[in-house]
Amino acid sequence: MGVYTFICKSSGGEWNAKQYSGDLEGSAASTFDLQRQLVNVALKSEGSGAVSSSFSYVSPSSAVFQVIIGGGGGGGGFIGGGAAAAPAAGGAAAAPADAPVEEKKEEKEESDEDMGFSLFD
């Protein structure tokens, strides 16, 4: 799994990015084009795998862009996998089948006629 963090700055209508701890760089006219370019640069360096990226503005003229390659396909996969594995890892027993089920009471809805006035009077 490769994590690439880029510091992005805008000057003169051009966005430039330099890797935080490395030699990868990129520049483009828009943030969208810069992100696409940096993902491709990171992919060339890492090889192949699932790509997850995050672009966050720090100010109107600076931002941080992070590219993660590999690692199971993103944050949603990690959260879902951990939540599914937690009960099995904790050794928790399944809920008994004959546990009492809480009954829901239906509340009677009030109409505007019950209030003594109508919205259209």
Side-chain angles (χ1 to χ4, degrees), residues 7-11 14-18 26-28 34:
I7 308 301
C8 308
K9 295 182 181 179
S10 173
S11 61
E14 177 96 0
W15 281 89
N16 299 306
K18 183 168 172 58
S27 63
L34 181 64

Side-chain angles (χ1 to χ4, degrees), residues 15 24 40 44 79-80 92 104 107 116:
W15 281 89
L24 301 179
N40 287 330
K44 286 180 186 175
I79 293 170
K104 295 183 181 180
E107 293 185 23

Side-chain angles (χ1 to χ4, degrees), residues 1-6 19 21-25 36-49 51 67-70:
M1 180 169 91
V3 179
Y4 300 87
T5 304
F6 297 92
Q19 188 178 4
S21 58
D23 298 330
L24 301 179
E25 296 182 359
R36 290 182 59 178
Q37 183 184 42
L38 293 175
V39 166
N40 287 330
V41 167
L43 275 171
K44 286 180 186 175
S45 175
E46 183 70 22
S48 65
V51 176
V67 179
I68 301 171
I69 300 174

Side-chain angles (χ1 to χ4, degrees), residues 50-103:
V51 176
S52 176
S53 65
S54 172
F55 186 87
S56 301
Y57 281 101
V58 177
S59 72
S61 61
S62 64
V64 175
F65 183 59
Q66 190 170 48
V67 179
I68 301 171
I69 300 174
F78 294 121
I79 293 170
D98 57 343
V101 177
E102 190 175 317
E103 293 182 23

